[in-house]
Amino acid sequence: MKGIVLAGGAGTRLHPVTLSVSKQLLPVYDKPMVYYPLSVLMLAGVREILLISTPDHLPQFRSLLGDGSRLGLELTYAEQPEPRGLADAFVIGADHVGDDTAALVLGDNIFHGPRFAEILERTAADVEGCVLFGYPVGDPERYGVAVTDAGGRLVDIEEKPARPRSNRAITGLYFYDNDVVDIAKNIRPSPRGELEITDVNRVYLERGDAQLVDLGRGFAWLDTGTHDSLLAAGQYLQTLEHRQGVRIACLEEVALRMGFIDAAHCYTLGEQLGDTGYGRYVRAIAVEHGHPGVSDDLF
C-alpha cells in the first residue's frame, strides 16, 4: 500500500498564525501537527508516503522530515499550487500509487483510540474497493455523512445534509484499491473546479464496493481548523500523555514498534533530540526494546 498525506491549503481560519507557516506544521501540544497523520499511515504498515503541499510550504516539510530514511520511510513530495479538492491527491500522486492500493489521510486529522493499529493493519492488508472510517459527531450537517442499514452496511453518502440520516461523519482517512486513480481522473469537477472525494466514494458505493469501519465510542477524531479547536486538541493530548506516560504519534516510537528501525537507531534519534522530554522518552523506548542505554537518567 502507498500512502498520501494531503497537507495543502492556506489555513485561512488560523490567520494570522498561518500567514508564514503551513497549518500542518503548527504544534499540537508537543509535536508538529503532521506527525499525527504520518503516524496513522505508519501504523497501517505504510512506508512509501507522498506528502502534497503548496510550493511555499514544501521546503518547510522537507526541512522537518527529509527523505524519511531516519524513520525507515521513503518520503517524497509533490506540489498542489491551489486547493483542487481532496480527490486531486490521486491525480497528483498517480505515479506514486502505481499499481498498488492507496491510503489518503488529511494532514490536519488526529486519530487516537484503542486497537487502532490493529484495525489499520488488518484493513490495509486486504483492501477491496474503498474503505471509509466513520465517527459519531454531534453536528453531522457539517460533514460528509455515512448512512448504513440495520446490518451496518454502507448504503448512502450524504454531503453536508441539512437533515442528516445518520450521525456518522466520514473522517479524513480513506483506503482504496488501485481503481481510485482512474476514478479520480474521470470524475466531473464541482462548480468550484474541485475534485470532490465524496464523488469518488459514490462511484465505489454504486459499484457495491464501499464499506464503512465504524470507529465508535472510545476513539477520538480531533479537529484543528480553528484557534479554539487547535488549543482543545493540544489540551486533550496533553492530558492523555501526562496521565498515561506515553507520547501519542511519536514517530520514532511508531517506527521502532513497526520494525522500520531497530532499537540502536531509535536511541540515536533520541540522542539527537537532546536533553528534552521528547528526547528522553525516545531513548527510554529504545531501552525498553533492548538498547543498553548509557545511564539511568532516562525517566
Side-chain angles (χ1 to χ4, degrees), residues 123 126-132 153-157 175-180 183 200-213:
T123 306
D126 185 25
V127 176
E128 296 183 2
C130 83
V131 182
L132 310 176
R153 185 175 63 90
L154 185 65
V155 295
D156 198 6
I157 299 170
F175 287 1
Y176 296 100
D177 65 17
N178 192 252
D179 287 350
V180 69
I183 292 172
V200 171
N201 296 336
R202 284 195 177 116
V203 171
Y204 280 104
L205 183 64
E206 290 168 3
R207 291 180 177 181
D209 287 336
Q211 60 176 298
L212 182 74
V213 174

Side-chain angles (χ1 to χ4, degrees), residues 20-254:
S20 62
V21 66
S22 168
K23 175 177 73 170
Q24 290 86 1
L25 289 172
L26 295 178
V28 183
Y29 183 44
D30 60 349
K31 59 191 71 70
M33 187 186 298
V34 72
Y35 274 36
Y36 298 92
L38 269 177
S39 72
V40 170
L41 295 180
M42 292 168 68
L43 288 170
V46 179
R47 301 179 71 165
E48 297 176 59
I49 299 171
L50 174 68
L51 190 145
I52 299 173
S53 190
T54 67
D56 288 342
H57 293 152
L58 278 178
Q60 299 170 348
F61 287 104
R62 286 194 176 99
S63 178
L64 174 67
L65 300 168
D67 64 2
S69 58
R70 60 186 289 274
L71 297 169
L73 304 176
E74 295 180 26
L75 282 180
T76 52
Y77 300 87
E79 295 182 358
Q80 187 185 51
E82 57 188 24
R84 294 195 297 259
L86 305 187
D88 187 48
F90 295 108
V91 178
I92 296 171
D95 290 341
H96 170 71
V97 174
D99 59 1
D100 211 338
T101 56
L104 171 65
V105 62
L106 304 189
D108 60 356
N109 273 221
I110 298 175
F111 297 85
H112 179 256
R115 299 185 302 279
F116 193 35
E118 176 186 332
I119 293 170
L120 291 171
E121 279 197 281
R122 183 176 66 247
T123 306
D126 185 25
V127 176
E128 296 183 2
C130 83
V131 182
L132 310 176
F133 293 82
Y135 183 79
V137 296
D139 51 354
E141 64 278 359
R142 293 179 52 216
Y143 303 94
V145 173
V147 181
T148 58
D149 62 17
R153 185 175 63 90
L154 185 65
V155 295
D156 198 6
I157 299 170
E158 302 177 317
E159 184 63 28
K160 296 181 180 178
R163 296 182 178 179
R165 290 185 285 154
S166 163
N167 70 339
R168 290 296 189 272
I170 296 173
T171 70
L173 174 64
Y174 314 86
F175 287 1
Y176 296 100
D177 65 17
N178 192 252
D179 287 350
V180 69
V181 173
D182 287 336
I183 292 172
K185 288 179 178 179
N186 287 290
I187 61 173
R188 180 177 299 177
S190 72
R192 295 183 300 174
E194 297 185 355
L195 302 180
E196 302 289 354
I197 200 71
T198 297
D199 292 336
V200 171
N201 296 336
R202 284 195 177 116
V203 171
Y204 280 104
L205 183 64
E206 290 168 3
R207 291 180 177 181
D209 287 336
Q211 60 176 298
L212 182 74
V213 174
D214 190 357
L215 296 179
R217 293 186 178 182
F219 271 83
W221 174 47
L222 303 180
D223 177 25
T224 56
T226 66
H227 297 288
D228 286 344
S229 61
L230 181 62
L231 177 62
Q235 291 172 331
Y236 171 84
L237 292 163
Q238 179 192 41
T239 299
L240 279 180
E241 292 191 4
H242 283 198
R243 180 64 62 90
Q244 297 179 354
V246 300
R247 290 187 183 255
I248 297 164
C250 172
L251 298 185
E252 296 83 0
E253 179 180 8
V254 175

